[in-house]
């Protein structure tokens, strides 16, 4: 996809270059790619939660509940 198309889609969701973005997935690989794309597009604050759901789900449920 073109950078313009990605930025247009994000703008429709209310996300612009100054919006802080945190990405996660199952193990941090796909989310790292998403963050690389966002940084390339000029996002000021784009972070990857490298541990993602694997790390989160290994933590004690009473301290880190999974919520939908």
């Amino acid at each position: 996809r073109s950078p313009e198309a990605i930025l247009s889609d994000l703008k429709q969701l209310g996300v612009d270059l100054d919006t802080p973005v945190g990405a996660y997935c199952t193990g941090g690989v796909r989310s790292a790619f998403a963050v690389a794309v966002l940084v390339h597009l000029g996002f000021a604050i784009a972070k990857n939660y490298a541990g993602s759901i694997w790390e989160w789900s290994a933590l004690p449920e009473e301290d880190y509940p999974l919520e939908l």
Side-chain angles (χ1 to χ4, degrees), residues 38-58:
L38 293 172
V39 169
H40 178 74
L41 292 174
F43 276 77
I45 304 171
K47 303 287 183 181
N48 182 33
Y49 176 20
S52 286
I53 199 66
W54 286 343
E55 180 179 273
W56 186 269
S57 65

Side-chain angles (χ1 to χ4, degrees), residues 15-60:
V15 179
D16 61 28
L17 295 178
D18 294 324
T19 304
V21 177
Y24 67 94
C25 63
T26 304
V29 177
R30 288 169 293 192
S31 55
F33 177 76
V35 168
V37 170
L38 293 172
V39 169
H40 178 74
L41 292 174
F43 276 77
I45 304 171
K47 303 287 183 181
N48 182 33
Y49 176 20
S52 286
I53 199 66
W54 286 343
E55 180 179 273
W56 186 269
S57 65
L59 300 170

